[in-house]
């Protein structure tokens, strides 16, 4: 369970998250939508401790992320995260991209790591690209590799930050399909996305962020068909 | 016009001796590069540090190494440190001087190379659970080395040529040292130094070509 309680976050004098509270239950898929600069990416970075916060707290299965004694490296093994782009390590092959953390972070043997990696890469349809370097992959393949790499660590949570927004339209589908599959398998996910149709289909709940505040949260039917907040309405009118 | 008869035969007879000197030259150059790269990486990281002391030490090193003659740096390692009671033999003093110079130049090169590696790479690595040091060692550093491979090769050649300065601290086992001893004994200056020059040239070329081969094997992506 991910519990976000009254989180405040600023970059210098710029307030980016303003008293954000929300809980993601195990097995739940939460989508986050909202305008550019509303703090969505920042929230994900705070959840796995890549960014410090100035107020409130975030608990992952009861462990406070920003508490002093927290072992962030250990915590992050349970939280897979895929960014919009530049996830791949360009100097490593697809297989090595996936095995590196298995071997160096989880201390698995090479053969054990390779077994896991091959399985995950096949799962996302990259079984024939093991010895390819990321530079030779399409954007969609790179994103699927990043998903496989995160999943190989057997995380309890997956965070996605607009993983399709840098892709050519014809490549979006293959990545969304991969995520859909994951949702069906019961993975707990937070998905920041601009793909409203996808959010509606796979999410248990959708949260709308506006200027650092969580303006509204509810089931997809509420957010998309009968939003309570005027700002949500305005936002959805613009993206449609 | 000039009155000098070339005597190549005795000079060529000394070739085995000179080749032994070339090996010492190469040893010093390679060692000074290995240690210089290690120190250079540390200095480059220190230059990007939050702590002023680290930035200060690193900048001072880089500034002095790059803006004073290499000859002075070697001289200081031998005679300067000697006066302070630290007596290095000429081999070690030369090695120290060149290493100091290498580290300074390489630090600056590496700093540029580090800038070529996007911050997002560190973020991606840390989010997989890598600690800061492992993220640097396994993700950032390999990419940095690719970005700076050519300037690094140039520094290696420069290190080879700098070893000739060993004569000023009395080194007589490297290529220049051996050549100088032969010269003093026979006064066939032109012949010996011409052969030495050819040997330097060949070593430098081999290193450059070798580096190109290594780069080709290493950086397939
Ligand atoms: N490292 C940083 N330093 C300073 N300001 C930052 C930093 N990262 C983000 N910001 C600012 O914080 C605000 C929120 O950024 P964030 O990336 O979280 O928005 P977002 O909702 O993900 O937007 P988008 O949909 O464009 O990705 C923006 O105004 C951004 O400029
Ligand atoms: Mg964002």
């Amino acid at each position: 369970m991910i519990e976000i309680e009254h989180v405040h976050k600023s970059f210098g004098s710029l307030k980016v998250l303003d008293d954000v509270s929300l809980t993601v239950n195990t097995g739940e898929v939460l989508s986050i939508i909202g305008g550019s600069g509303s703090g969505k990416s920042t929230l994900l970075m705070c959840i796995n401790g890549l960014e410090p916060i100035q107020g409130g707290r975030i608990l992952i299965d009861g462990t406070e992320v920003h508490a002093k004694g927290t072992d962030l490296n250990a915590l992050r093994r349970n939280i897979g995260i895929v960014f919009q782009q530049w996830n791949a390590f360009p100097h490593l092959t697809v297989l090595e991209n996936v095995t590196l953390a298995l071997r160096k972070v989880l201390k698995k043997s090479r053969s054990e790591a390779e077994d896991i990696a091959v399985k995950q890469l096949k799962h996302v349809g990259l079984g024939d690209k093991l010895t390819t370097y990321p530079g030779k992959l399409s954007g969609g393949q790179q994103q699927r590799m990043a998903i496989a790499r995160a999943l190989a660590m057997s995380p309890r949570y997956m965070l996605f930050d607009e993983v399709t927004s840098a892709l050519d339209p014809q490549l979006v589908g293959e990545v969304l399909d991969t995520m859909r599959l994951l949702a069906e398998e019961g993975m707990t996910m937070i998905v920041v996305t601009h793909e409203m149709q996808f959010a509606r289909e796979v999410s248990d709940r959708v949260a709308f962020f506006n200027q650092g505040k969580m303006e509204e949260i509810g089931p997809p039917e509420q957010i998309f068909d009968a939003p309570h907040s005027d700002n949500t309405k305005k936002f959805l009118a613009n993206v449609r | 016009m000039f009155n000098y008869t070339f005597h190549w035969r005795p000079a060529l007879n000394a070739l085995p001796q000179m080749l032994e000197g070339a090996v010492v030259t190469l040893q010093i150059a390679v060692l000074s590069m290995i240690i210089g790269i290690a120190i250079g990486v540390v200095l480059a990281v220190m230059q990007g540090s939050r702590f002023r002391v680290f930035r200060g030490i690193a900048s001072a090193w880089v500034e002095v190494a790059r803006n004073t003659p290499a000859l002075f740096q070697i001289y200081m390692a031998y005679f300067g440190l000697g006066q302070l009671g630290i007596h290095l033999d000429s081999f070690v003093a030369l090695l120290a001087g060149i290493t100091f110079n290498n580290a300074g130049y390489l630090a600056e090169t590496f700093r540029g190379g580090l800038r070529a590696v996007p911050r997002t790479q560190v973020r991606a690595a840390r989010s997989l659970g890598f600690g800061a040091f492992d993220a640097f060692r396994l993700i950032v550093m390999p990419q940095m080395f690719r970005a700076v491979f050519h300037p690094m090769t140039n520094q290696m050649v420069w290190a080879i040529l700098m070893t000739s300065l060993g004569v000023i601290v009395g080194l007589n086992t490297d290529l220049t040292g051996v050549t100088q001893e032969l010269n003093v004994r026979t006064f066939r200056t032109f012949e010996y130094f011409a052969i030495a020059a050819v040997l330097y040239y060949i070593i430098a070329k081999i290193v450059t070509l070798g580096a190109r081969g290594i780069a080709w094997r290493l950086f397939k992506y």
Side-chain angles (χ1 to χ4, degrees):
Chain A
M1 192 162 70
I2 300 176
E3 295 162 281
I4 298 165
E5 298 174 351
H6 303 292
V7 164
H8 290 262
K9 162 78 189 172
S10 324
F11 288 110
S13 60
L14 179 71
K15 204 148 189 35
V16 178
L17 293 175
D18 188 0
D19 197 23
V20 171
S21 296
L22 74 103
T23 298
V24 185
N25 292 306
T26 303
E28 188 179 22
V29 177
L30 173 77
S31 288
I32 299 180
I33 60 173
S36 185
S38 58
K40 307 179 300 291
S41 299
T42 305
L43 180 68
L44 296 191
M45 306 264 266
C46 292
I47 290 174
N48 79 352
L50 283 170
E51 286 288 349
I53 58 178
Q54 277 76 42
R57 56 179 201 164
I58 299 176
L59 302 170
I60 311 281
D61 299 323
T63 304
E64 189 176 343
V65 177
H66 298 89
K68 262 213 157 54
T70 302
D71 180 353
L72 281 176
N73 295 336
L75 188 86
R76 287 180 187 136
R77 287 170 216 162
N78 292 322
I79 309 171
I81 182 162
V82 181
F83 300 100
Q84 188 172 355
Q85 51 189 344
W86 297 303
N87 290 288
F89 303 134
H91 62 298
L92 302 176
T93 63
V94 167
L95 184 66
E96 290 163 348
N97 258 274
V98 182
T99 54
L100 190 69
L102 289 169
R103 293 176 55 202
K104 306 288 173 174
V105 176
L106 297 185
K107 312 282 181 210
K108 292 190 187 297
S109 71
R110 176 190 285 270
S111 67
E112 202 182 345
E114 285 181 353
D115 286 347
I116 297 170
V118 169
K119 187 171 139 257
Q120 289 298 344
L121 286 165
K122 279 188 180 150
H123 200 57
V124 300
L126 292 175
D128 57 341
K129 300 282 182 199
L130 301 180
T131 55
T132 308
Y133 284 92
K136 300 246 163 64
L137 296 180
S138 74
Q141 290 170 330
Q142 288 198 26
Q143 289 303 67
R144 284 186 279 141
M145 185 204 77
I147 294 172
R149 189 175 70 188
L151 289 176
M153 305 293 284
S154 332
R156 279 202 290 268
Y157 305 98
M158 282 292 291
L159 315 180
F160 296 91
D161 189 4
E162 293 183 29
V163 292
T164 57
S165 61
L167 299 181
D168 293 336
Q170 71 270 22
L171 299 177
V172 169
E174 63 187 51
V175 177
L176 292 185
D177 285 343
T178 304
M179 293 164 67
R180 199 171 277 126
L181 197 65
L182 203 56
E184 281 163 14
E185 287 167 2
M187 175 62 78
T188 310
M189 302 172 24
I190 300 181
V191 184
V192 173
T193 186
H194 285 162
E195 300 286 336
M196 298 304 156
Q197 190 53 41
F198 177 76
R200 179 193 279 271
E201 280 170 39
V202 302
S203 316
D204 297 301
R205 283 188 301 160
V206 178
F208 171 66
F209 273 62
N210 186 33
Q211 296 181 352
K213 283 190 164 52
M214 191 178 68
E215 184 101 9
E216 185 169 355
I217 187 165
E221 303 78 37
Q222 173 195 327
I223 301 294
F224 292 114
D225 301 331
H228 298 178
S229 146
D230 284 343
N231 286 325
T232 315
K233 264 179 228 164
K234 259 185 249 156
F235 173 76
L236 289 170
N238 281 329
V239 295
R240 276 197 184 122
Chain B
M1 200 168 79
F2 54 90
N3 186 10
Y4 185 84
T5 334
F6 290 104
H7 289 282
W8 290 103
R9 171 115 344 122
L12 284 171
N13 283 340
L15 198 55
Q17 247 173 298
M18 293 175 81
L19 282 174
E20 272 173 43
V23 171
V24 175
T25 288
L26 202 56
Q27 268 173 357
I28 298 172
V30 168
L31 278 175
S32 75
M33 275 306 277
I34 293 172
I35 309 171
I37 288 170
I39 299 175
V41 169
V42 174
L43 291 177
V45 172
M46 281 168 72
Q47 283 188 310
S49 161
R50 272 179 296 146
F51 302 106
R52 229 167 127 177
V53 208
F54 286 159
R55 287 203 307 271
I57 294 170
S59 308
W61 187 314
V62 171
E63 287 295 311
V64 174
R66 288 165 53 96
N67 296 298
T68 61
L71 185 131
F72 290 13
Q73 294 164 19
I74 295 160
Y75 219 75
M76 283 303 270
Y78 191 72
F79 296 107
L81 290 182
Q83 278 195 324
L84 299 178
I86 306 168
H87 297 283
L88 306 179
D89 71 32
S90 13
F91 182 96
V92 177
L94 178 64
L95 178 59
I98 299 175
T99 302
F100 177 81
N101 188 277
N102 281 347
Y105 274 90
L106 289 171
E108 200 63 3
T109 308
F110 292 160
R111 199 155 68 112
L114 287 178
R115 250 186 255 122
V117 182
R119 292 285 310 155
T120 50
Q121 289 286 300
V122 176
R123 192 182 67 177
R126 296 306 301 272
S127 64
L128 284 168
F130 286 104
F133 181 71
D134 275 348
F136 182 77
R137 184 172 66 93
L138 298 166
I139 305 300
V140 176
M141 221 164 57
Q143 296 183 54
M144 176 200 77
F145 276 125
R146 175 182 166 141
V148 300
F149 200 79
H150 281 289
M152 244 167 70
T153 312
N154 293 342
Q155 188 65 32
M156 174 71 192
V157 171
W158 182 229
I160 292 165
L161 303 184
M162 273 193 288
T163 58
S164 65
L165 296 171
V167 283
I168 61 152
V169 291
L171 186 68
N172 57 9
T173 49
D174 73 313
L175 181 51
T176 299
V178 169
T179 310
Q180 176 63 7
E181 298 241 307
L182 291 165
N183 175 44
V184 169
R185 249 187 278 138
T186 63
F187 294 105
R188 309 286 347 160
T189 307
F190 187 92
E191 290 87 335
Y192 283 119
F193 279 94
I195 293 172
V198 168
L199 289 179
Y200 275 112
Y201 183 88
I202 292 172
I203 298 171
K205 276 292 150 191
I206 290 174
V207 164
T208 313
L209 292 176
R212 209 171 289 169
I214 292 171
W216 186 77
R217 276 194 61 83
L218 228 49
F219 307 129
K220 290 217 177 98
Y221 59 97

